[in-house]
Amino acid sequence: MARPAPVSELRGPATFRVIPILALLTALAVAGYLILAGASKASTPPASSVTVPSGVATVTDTWTGTIPAGTNASSNCGPFADTATADTHTETINVPAGAYDSVQANFTFSIAWNNGDNDEILTVVGPGGVPVGSSDGGTPSETVRGTNLAAGAYKVVACPFLATSAQPYTATLTIQTLALEPPPPPGPSRGITFDHANWNDPIRMVGEPDIQIDNHYGNYVSGPGGSTTQASWFWKSEDHGIQWHLIGCPTKSNCQNGGGDTEITIAKNRDVFASDLQTLQCNSTFRSYDEGKTFIPGEGCFPETDRQWMGVFDPTSSAAGRRVYLAANHAEVLSGCYMLVSTDNGVTYLPPDPTNNPTADI
């Protein structure tokens, strides 16, 4: 197809010069992706490979690239892999036979750039088009994590969420392998002991605490401050419970209203899903895709609710196929329990079968 003539080369009345340009912009906007300037198809180098260590070790692979200018409101670069609207790197992961029988491999894909005015997205797509995850935090770096990823070719795709200029970036894949701990010996010879108690917070008092531990030594504790306060608090320790720091949203630990029961569940890649009870009428929910560093609020409302529980079905250690469950007691008027499920990685919680069981009773 011949290259469209620039506006200055078109002939005829001004009306006919404008219509083709507007039609092109409209078509691009409808597609959900508007390129402002520049184009880049592959990183430097365009492909590389890395092998998962069979023992305890850390290996890295690095590359560079340039993300084209443009917008993408979907926060997902997957559909634009190997196109001019994104920068794509193909990373082949080799897994020795039996490696995951002796080690756990934690994968960290990350990109970083130096212009905070450009907001970029990082998406990792595994073999067969199965997504590992996307990161769109709005800061000049993005990170996607996975655990014990299968062997094969992975597309590491960087594209703009909102960028007015082409953006050079650096990328790193880090694989850290940890030895699998052997099971404790049977019987009374296990030798389990406890250290002395530590204050996790000498100021904020809570009741009915909840505790969860992830697969990378992260300890989480939460507890309600009471419905009259509309506040609950969440903490994390990264040194086996010796020191604790407050986590949650910047203005409020529980992100929204609450003060009732708290609950936390953690995925295999250490995404965190949490909730807080709002005066028997709703469950505030919030989620973290960076191991509890930042949280995004949401809601899983259901009237007459009390004492919620959460759990996660995580077959791929990523957002693909993940189901986050939120169950609770019916309070006062109703009896029994109900269960909601999130199939969009903790954004919304809905009845699993809204047609036949709209109240999600179990």
Side-chain angles (χ1 to χ4, degrees):
M1 179 181 293
R3 177 180 64 87
V7 172
S8 60
E9 297 178 9
L10 294 173
R11 297 292 182 262
T15 301
F16 295 98
R17 293 200 299 268
V18 174
I19 288 176
I21 302 300
L22 290 177
L24 176 60
L25 293 178
T26 301
L28 288 171
V30 169
Y33 200 104
L34 175 60
I35 296 300
L36 299 178
S40 181
K41 190 171 183 178
S43 61
T44 303
S48 57
S49 65
V50 65
T51 299
V52 175
S54 297
V56 176
T58 299
V59 296
T60 60
D61 187 27
T62 60
W63 62 93
T64 60
T66 300
I67 305 169
T71 62
N72 174 15
S74 71
S75 298
N76 178 16
C77 302
F80 309 109
D82 295 321
T83 72
T85 58
D87 195 83
T88 303
H89 180 81
T90 301
E91 184 76 37
T92 299
I93 295 176
N94 304 303
V95 182
Y100 294 153
D101 294 335
S102 57
V103 297
Q104 173 182 296
N106 297 321
F107 294 76
T108 303
F109 300 84
S110 62
I111 62 171
W113 61 97
N114 59 10
N115 183 358
D117 293 333
N118 285 336
D119 188 353
E120 312 292 357
I121 306 167
L122 173 64
T123 298
V124 180
V125 182
V130 177
V132 176
S134 284
S135 176
D136 181 18
T139 60
S141 66
E142 301 292 350
T143 300
V144 173
R145 294 180 174 87
T147 301
N148 289 0
L149 296 181
Y154 288 74
K155 298 291 184 180
V156 186
V157 191
C159 68
F161 176 81
L162 178 60
T164 58
S165 61
Q167 180 61 63
Y169 72 95
T170 58
T172 303
L173 167 60
T174 300
I175 305 176
Q176 181 186 32
T177 51
L178 306 173
L180 297 179
E181 296 184 4
S189 61
R190 292 179 179 178
I192 297 176
T193 61
F194 290 88
D195 199 354
H196 63 81
N198 288 322
W199 285 101
N200 70 320
D201 193 321
I203 299 174
R204 300 171 180 88
M205 298 292 103
V206 300
E208 300 179 339
D210 177 52
I211 185 169
Q212 291 287 339
I213 303 174
D214 68 21
N215 58 13
H216 199 57
Y217 314 116
N219 297 348
Y220 294 81
V221 166
S222 67
S227 295
T228 57
T229 68
Q230 286 296 298
S232 294
W233 291 280
F234 294 74
W235 297 268
K236 183 181 181 183
S237 171
E238 297 174 338
D239 58 3
H240 305 282
I242 298 174
Q243 301 178 85
W244 297 83
H245 59 272
L246 197 65
I247 60 174
C249 293
T251 58
K252 201 174 185 183
S253 181
N254 62 340
C255 295
Q256 301 177 87
N257 291 328
D261 300 311
T262 60
E263 180 73 350
I264 302 171
T265 190
I266 305 172
K268 292 179 182 177
N269 68 343
R270 299 184 293 283
D271 287 351
V272 181
F273 304 92
S275 63
D276 190 12
L277 181 64
Q278 294 185 22
T279 57
L280 304 182
Q281 293 301 312
C282 183
N283 291 300
S284 295
T285 66
F286 43 107
R287 59 201 183 276
S288 172
Y289 301 142
D290 55 8
E291 301 184 35
K293 295 181 178 65
T294 59
F295 281 83
I296 306 168
E299 282 192 320
C301 282
F302 208 89
E304 308 302 338
T305 184
D306 190 20
R307 185 52 272 177
Q308 76 278 20
W309 297 269
M310 299 185 74
V312 58
F313 172 68
D314 199 15
T316 65
S317 301
S318 69
R322 177 178 291 163
R323 297 171 69 88
V324 186
Y325 292 94
L326 173 64
N329 292 321
H330 280 307
E332 297 181 4
V333 177
L334 302 175
S335 61
C337 302
Y338 69 89
M339 179 180 292
L340 306 178
V341 63
S342 173
T343 58
D344 54 9
N345 211 26
V347 179
T348 58
Y349 291 82
L350 300 169
D353 186 3
T355 301
N356 298 313
N357 187 10
T359 59
D361 289 333
I362 56 174

